[in-house]
Amino acid sequence: MSNNYTAIKDIFIETDDVKDFVNLDKSTLAYHKILSALQKPLKLILFYGKPGTGKTFLLCKIKEDLEKKLDVVFFPQPFFDEKEFFSEMYFQIFGQYGDVDGYESFIRLYRDYLVDKKDSGSPKQVVILLDEAQLYPPNLIEKIRFLADTRLFKILFTVHKTDEEDTLAKDYFKTRIWSSIELPNSTLNELKLYIEKKLMFHNFHQYYYMYNDENFNIIYHLTDGNLRNLNKLLFKIYELCEYYEENKPTEIGATLNQKLIEMAAISAGLIDA
């Protein structure tokens, strides 16, 4: 079974490929705030938002843009061991593994590198992007903070904002952070733009006209503008369209049927059957 809906549904499988980045108002604002903060003499920056708002995707774009002019270390997954963290950071900076067994040895090796570079020009500043920072153990966070205190590094902590973790994150980071940036859920208009651009990027723009205002309102209500939930729902919608196109093509009209959207929402786990 394969038709246009087969290809369309795959558009909404989550990926970190920046080629699929959709430039929404909220993303653009957060992007420029982060770049602005990194240009200031700030040591620690907090970037937060609910799971599924697009934080990791934005971090990937920031990394790609920054590494053209700065040394960038990006850890999309958390570390729990100090030696592994600093060993991997040494590798990302120098392209090889060194004799690193923790914070102290890493700093010693890095300062030796700075001495060697003294006569050949100043090394580029190192920016460290940490995703899922709320999962790092407190003792490792302290060592990372010590890195920032040397003023040789700038650290961007990215954390999830949830009912359980929000208080913990703010209480732990609030005495250390110099700037905080939030990435909220998408608005209804941003949701429409996201769907339109995703389809347009893959030459399926004509399928955007299957949606009417009622469809958009239902989809926004079901997902609350959360991009992860939106991708899940759209994947299920087009999976159903794929089936009906092959088996019952009369079920697919000029606009999406509300029943089909609700069936997709049940399948995606967004509402109960």
Side-chain angles (χ1 to χ4, degrees):
M1 180 175 65
S2 179
N3 50 57
N4 278 349
Y5 295 111
T6 308
I8 294 173
K9 82 176 194 298
D10 291 343
I11 294 172
F12 297 99
I13 296 175
E14 285 203 352
T15 173
D16 292 336
D17 189 347
V18 295
K19 293 179 181 177
D20 274 341
F21 180 74
V22 177
N23 202 19
L24 303 176
D25 290 351
K26 65 162 191 170
S27 304
T28 301
L29 183 60
Y31 174 87
H32 288 297
K33 283 184 176 180
I34 290 172
L35 292 188
S36 176
L38 290 172
Q39 291 172 1
K40 297 176 182 177
L42 306 175
K43 297 184 297 181
L44 300 171
I45 303 160
L46 180 66
F47 177 42
Y48 66 100
K50 293 181 179 179
T53 52
K55 297 186 301 299
T56 299
F57 208 94
L58 190 58
L59 284 179
C60 290
K61 177 169 175 54
I62 288 170
K63 173 185 179 294
E64 184 177 90
D65 292 347
L66 281 181
E67 62 188 0
K68 299 170 185 174
K69 52 186 177 181
L70 299 173
D71 284 332
V72 180
V73 174
F74 177 39
F75 291 145
Q77 302 296 332
F79 281 80
F80 304 98
D81 179 81
E82 179 182 338
K83 180 179 178 180
E84 290 182 0
F85 175 85
F86 285 103
S87 178
E88 183 61 26
M89 194 162 79
Y90 187 92
F91 175 79
Q92 287 208 26
I93 294 173
F94 299 108
Q96 61 185 9
Y97 287 104
D99 185 18
V100 179
D101 58 14
Y103 170 79
E104 287 79 7
S105 61
F106 172 82
I107 285 295
R108 183 178 65 254
L109 290 169
Y110 192 75
R111 289 189 184 280
D112 289 344
Y113 161 73
L114 293 182
V115 171
D116 292 339
K117 290 285 291 184
K118 189 173 182 180
D119 295 331
S120 58
S122 299
K124 293 182 290 185
Q125 185 178 40
V126 178
V127 173
I128 304 174
L129 309 176
L130 304 180
D131 205 358
E132 304 281 1
Q134 76 279 358
L135 298 178
Y136 280 74
N139 62 319
L140 183 49
I141 289 290
E142 283 301 308
K143 295 296 178 67
I144 295 171
R145 184 175 66 84
F146 292 160
L147 275 181
D149 288 341
T150 66
R151 297 193 177 276
L152 299 173
F153 306 88
K154 287 188 178 182
I155 320 290
L156 177 71
F157 290 111
T158 304
V159 303
H160 285 335
K161 179 183 179 183
T162 66
D163 292 339
E164 294 79 16
E165 295 170 345
D166 189 29
T167 301
L168 173 63
K170 285 188 175 180
D171 285 349
Y172 189 79
F173 288 106
K174 67 182 180 182
T175 59
R176 299 165 168 80
I177 295 299
W178 291 55
S179 180
S180 297
I181 300 160
E182 181 176 7
L183 185 65
N185 279 348
S186 302
T187 64
L188 176 59
N189 285 335
E190 287 175 328
L191 179 145
K192 293 179 182 179
L193 182 63
Y194 180 84
I195 296 173
E196 181 178 17
K197 286 196 172 183
K198 291 285 276 189
L199 292 171
M200 183 174 64
F201 288 166
H202 295 271
N203 298 315
F204 289 111
H205 188 258
Q206 67 272 27
Y207 287 86
Y208 179 75
Y209 300 105
M210 292 180 65
Y211 298 88
N212 58 31
D213 287 342
E214 184 179 3
N215 294 153
F216 284 125
N217 288 332
I218 292 170
I219 291 172
Y220 184 74
H221 173 75
L222 290 169
T223 63
D224 193 31
N226 184 281
L227 294 182
R228 182 170 298 161
N229 289 337
L230 178 61
N231 283 324
K232 287 168 58 178
L233 179 60
L234 292 172
F235 180 89
K236 292 297 183 180
I237 286 174
Y238 288 116
E239 190 174 51
L240 288 172
C241 289
E242 177 188 31
Y243 170 81
Y244 284 125
E245 178 72 11
E246 190 73 19
N247 299 281
K248 297 180 180 180
T250 56
E251 293 289 329
I252 302 177
T255 60
L256 285 176
N257 187 294
Q258 180 176 339
K259 181 180 178 182
L260 186 146
I261 296 174
E262 291 174 349
M263 289 169 59
I266 292 171
S267 181
L270 299 178
I271 57 176
D272 296 327

